[in-house]
Amino acid sequence: MQQFSLAHLTVLGCAPPEMTYIAARAGYDFVSFRPIFFGLAGEPNYALAENKELLRQTKTALADTGMKLLDIELARIYDGLDPKKYLPALEVAAELGGRHVLSSIWTEDRNFAIERFAELCDLARQFGLTVDLEFVTWASVTTLQGALATLRAANCENCGILIDTLHFHRSRVKLEELDAVPREWFHFAHLCDAPPEIPTTKEGLIHTGRDERLYAGEGGIDIAAILKRLPQVPYSIELPHLARVKELGYAEHAWRCLKTAKSYLDAHSGKVDSQAQAKNGAYSCIIPSNGPNLAL
């Protein structure tokens, strides 16, 4: 049975309570919050651990709607990081019933990245959370093999790999590479579409990644072929499209995200389900909205 989550980047202008109500009305099963504040210009601060009233309202929204928290983001690994910085967000995630923590690596110091990622996993384990590493085409770890090497070196029982269909396509990962990944490392995934052409500059990669992703089936990524290689896990549709958000509003855009994802998966059900149907899972939908997100 497919389940879907609305991730915060889909409706970044909405605080967690409003986002939760939007997700419930649209028909999602889960929400994915962004309670780790980066301090980026123009980005709202949803640090729930520091805003007790917002946390109270978020708990009320979850209770009123029956929505569940799938994951939180983004526990970045960067130069000089002390992972204990993320402890308040981890505590909030556990308090709200979350399952996973999304991470990515933004330092060229491989040994430092491995050590800090392992420390983050140790901190998250006490709250029953996995830490899922995403390779991002404009970060420091940009490929599946690079991410897997980090996970193997960290050697943590609660680690995982996060596959984003956009970064998978733009990192030119071969489908066969997924077959060698331990099945227990897949906890949820990001899903979106984009033009088949791969930008040749960092600026081009960032623009599509943050501002103009496409609904499933609109672009040239063979999403079904990627999903076929995964067990049935949470899908996260990370699909920023600023112009559509401006035209449609957050609620309509979130609804269309879910509708197109379901339509695509229904149309490709035989291809996707051939290897995944034996496992249970949940699916998440992420669409960054307005404003630059340098650490997406």
Side-chain angles (χ1 to χ4, degrees), residues 178-258:
L178 289 171
D179 297 340
V181 181
R183 300 291 93 179
E184 63 271 18
W185 282 3
F186 293 115
H187 300 127
F188 67 113
H190 286 171
L191 186 156
C192 76
D193 212 339
E197 299 80 16
I198 300 175
T200 58
T201 65
K202 182 177 181 179
E203 292 74 19
L205 293 168
I206 291 173
H207 172 74
T208 303
R210 297 184 184 135
D211 299 345
E212 206 170 358
R213 301 193 193 194
L214 302 177
Y215 296 131
E218 273 192 312
I221 299 177
D222 192 349
I223 297 171
I226 299 171
L227 300 186
K228 179 182 177 180
R229 302 280 180 154
L230 306 181
Q232 189 174 343
V233 296
Y235 290 164
S236 168
I237 305 174
E238 191 168 59
L239 206 160
H241 202 299
L242 305 191
R244 283 175 173 167
V245 167
K246 183 176 180 180
E247 174 190 0
L248 302 171
Y250 290 120
E252 175 71 13
H253 189 46
W255 178 80
R256 291 191 183 196
C257 173
L258 180 60

Side-chain angles (χ1 to χ4, degrees), residues 25-284:
R25 287 193 294 268
Y28 290 88
D29 306 282
F30 297 93
V31 285
S32 300
F33 292 150
R34 192 181 179 100
I36 298 173
F37 182 53
F38 300 159
L40 300 178
E43 179 175 319
N45 185 349
Y46 302 129
L48 296 175
E50 301 171 10
N51 190 331
K52 299 305 181 182
E53 175 58 22
L54 187 60
L55 178 58
R56 185 194 66 78
Q57 294 175 10
T58 301
K59 289 180 178 179
T60 298
L62 291 170
D64 287 348
T65 61
M67 300 294 294
K68 305 297 182 183
L69 176 62
L70 183 64
D71 65 282
I72 65 164
E73 63 172 31
L74 176 64
R76 299 172 296 146
I77 306 298
Y78 56 88
D79 288 322
L81 171 72
D82 179 354
K84 293 184 181 66
K85 171 183 178 180
Y86 297 133
L87 266 174
L90 299 179
E91 292 172 352
V92 163
E95 186 176 352
L96 297 178
R99 304 177 181 181
H100 315 294
V101 179
L102 183 62
S103 183
S104 54
I105 294 177
W106 302 79
T107 173
E108 301 301 329
D109 186 335
R110 183 173 183 272
N111 290 333
F112 179 86
I114 292 169
E115 291 171 0
R116 295 302 178 266
F117 182 81
E119 185 176 346
L120 176 61
C121 288
D122 287 342
L123 293 172
R125 186 171 59 246
Q126 64 183 304
F127 299 105
L129 299 165
T130 70
V131 180
D132 296 84
L133 183 60
E134 178 181 17
F135 55 97
V136 177
T137 48
W138 58 84
S140 298
V141 173
T142 63
T143 66
L144 174 62
Q145 292 306 317
L148 293 179
T150 300
L151 297 186
R152 294 187 180 107
N155 192 28
C156 299
E157 62 184 23
N158 63 324
C159 72
I161 187 75
L162 188 286
I163 300 299
D164 180 303
T165 55
L166 178 74
H167 297 308
F168 186 96
H169 173 72
R170 294 193 165 184
S171 293
R172 295 179 173 86
V173 179
K174 296 180 180 179
L175 293 169
E176 297 76 21
E177 293 181 47
L178 289 171
D179 297 340
V181 181
R183 300 291 93 179
E184 63 271 18
W185 282 3
F186 293 115
H187 300 127
F188 67 113
H190 286 171
L191 186 156
C192 76
D193 212 339
E197 299 80 16
I198 300 175
T200 58
T201 65
K202 182 177 181 179
E203 292 74 19
L205 293 168
I206 291 173
H207 172 74
T208 303
R210 297 184 184 135
D211 299 345
E212 206 170 358
R213 301 193 193 194
L214 302 177
Y215 296 131
E218 273 192 312
I221 299 177
D222 192 349
I223 297 171
I226 299 171
L227 300 186
K228 179 182 177 180
R229 302 280 180 154
L230 306 181
Q232 189 174 343
V233 296
Y235 290 164
S236 168
I237 305 174
E238 191 168 59
L239 206 160
H241 202 299
L242 305 191
R244 283 175 173 167
V245 167
K246 183 176 180 180
E247 174 190 0
L248 302 171
Y250 290 120
E252 175 71 13
H253 189 46
W255 178 80
R256 291 191 183 196
C257 173
L258 180 60
K259 181 178 184 296
T260 54
K262 287 184 174 180
S263 296
Y264 179 90
L265 292 174
D266 286 345
H268 297 82
S269 59
K271 187 174 184 179
V272 173
D273 292 343
S274 60
Q275 293 186 10
Q277 61 185 359
K279 294 182 179 288
N280 294 323
Y283 293 79
S284 165

